[in-house]
Amino acid sequence: SAHHSSDFSFDKDVPDVVPPMLGLHNYQDGAYAEDLANYHERSHADDWFGTEAMDVLVGWTKNLCSSKDLPGCSVLDIGTGSGRLLQQLAKQGFSDLTGIDYSEAAIELARNLAIRDGFEHINFLVDDVLESKLERRFELVMDEGTLDAIGLHPDGPVKR
């Protein structure tokens, strides 16, 4: 018999505290709206995770997929944010790239950056991973910060 996520013991041991802002949808929307405004004003957007972490993730991903035909390897980036991870994967030879985020501002920013940087082929969609409308399957699904935001949400035990 399957257990409801709130039946896990780690959820029962978590004290009632005010959740960090990172877990709230309106926080994400506000942060990406600010990044989008910066992009429109200065043609620049901040990287949330930094280039060193991105380089490690991209290198690991390329090695993981080295036995596959990289252009044919379908990749989904959950919580894509600015889409920088997918741009870096495109530079390594991946071409079937899709990024989803529940923040419309994040997707608008990702699209703008991709067009500016010559990555028009990357597909960006507004979609909530917890209630996804995607109908296709992907060989590789990546996340670089979405699961912690889900866990920090006030309804974290239910969403997990």
Side-chain angles (χ1 to χ4, degrees), residues 131-147:
E131 299 173 14
S132 182
K133 307 289 187 276
L134 291 177
E135 295 184 6
R136 71 172 283 199
R137 298 173 70 92
F138 294 86
E139 292 176 81
L140 180 62
V141 178
M142 302 186 72
D143 161 56
E144 115 184 75
T146 300
L147 293 178

Side-chain angles (χ1 to χ4, degrees), residues 5-28:
S5 61
S6 64
D7 290 341
F8 293 132
S9 63
F10 62 82
D11 286 332
K12 293 178 182 173
D13 297 332
V14 175
D16 290 330
V17 295
V18 177
M21 296 300 292
L22 180 64
L24 302 176
H25 189 153
N26 60 355
Y27 172 80
Q28 299 287 332

Side-chain angles (χ1 to χ4, degrees), residues 76-81 98-102 107 125 127 129 132 134:
L76 174 65
D77 181 20
I78 297 172
T80 197
T98 301
I100 63 169
D101 203 297
Y102 68 4
I107 293 300
L125 306 167
D127 189 61
V129 68
S132 182
L134 291 177

Side-chain angles (χ1 to χ4, degrees), residues 55-65 140 142:
D55 291 345
V56 170
L57 187 55
V58 168
W60 175 82
T61 303
K62 186 175 180 184
N63 288 338
L64 178 70
C65 298
L140 180 62
M142 302 186 72

Side-chain angles (χ1 to χ4, degrees), residues 65-100:
C65 298
S66 64
S67 64
K68 297 182 181 280
D69 173 34
L70 293 186
C73 183
S74 59
V75 179
L76 174 65
D77 181 20
I78 297 172
T80 197
S82 67
R84 293 294 201 188
L85 174 60
L86 294 177
Q87 284 194 26
Q88 295 304 315
L89 290 174
K91 289 177 183 177
Q92 296 299 316
F94 291 85
S95 61
D96 186 358
L97 302 167
T98 301
I100 63 169

